Amino acid sequence: MRIRPLLLPLSLGLALAAHSASAAPAAGGPLRSINIISSAGARAMADACTEWAEMNKTIVAMAVLDWGGNLIESHAMEGAAPNAIDTALLKAKNALRWRRPSSETAAIVRRGENLAPTYIQGDFPMPGALPIIIDGQLVGSMGVSSGDGEKCAQYAIDKVFKNRQAAR
């Protein structure tokens, strides 16, 4: 029997099949791809929020966090209160932790449905922050110090991400 002439094509076929199988991502594999906010994206969000605040004649401070809660941008407009950056950061952490607008968490606490946000050290369930959800992924949050902070954050998210934020 002449097997030798068939070995080379068979070996190449098996090698190609094995390579393509290993290159394809396995469902439920150990890794996945995620979106992250770039420094330039976070800066653009701060600029957009500042633009919104100037149009609405208000002074704000803002903080942008990545998906892991790391501060990647903060900015206080001239004349912002001394605690404004801290307030914006705490609000952003709240929106990221609970994956919802901080105003929703504040309402849940007020109604007594869940008091956990009042007991977690560093949580701040007050209106003014939004999670940033892009293509179904939580990629970060933006907190703003003013009472209309969520409007400012939404303006920034819409402007920078061109309305790619998932419906809340």
Side-chain angles (χ1 to χ4, degrees), residues 7 20 29 32 41 44 47-48 51-52 56-57 66-67 77 83 100 103 116 120 129 131 138 160 162:
L7 283 178
S20 63
R32 67 183 182 108
D47 291 343
E51 177 182 306
W52 181 91
N56 289 279
K57 297 179 180 23
D66 69 8
W67 66 273
M77 294 174 67
N83 65 339
R100 64 170 59 108
S103 61
I120 297 173
L138 178 69
V160 173
K162 309 294 187 240

Side-chain angles (χ1 to χ4, degrees), residues 48-49 51-52 55 150-160:
C49 188
E51 177 182 306
W52 181 91
M55 287 187 306
E150 289 178 24
K151 291 178 185 174
C152 189
Q154 189 64 61
Y155 179 86
I157 292 166
D158 289 345
K159 185 165 184 170
V160 173

Side-chain angles (χ1 to χ4, degrees), residues 106-120:
I108 289 168
V109 169
R110 273 194 309 277
R111 290 190 304 263
E113 294 173 16
N114 184 354
L115 297 178
T118 62
Y119 297 114
I120 297 173

Side-chain angles (χ1 to χ4, degrees), residues 94-105:
N94 178 274
L96 186 69
R97 176 179 288 125
W98 298 102
R99 298 172 186 244
R100 64 170 59 108
S102 59
S103 61
E104 287 181 19
T105 306

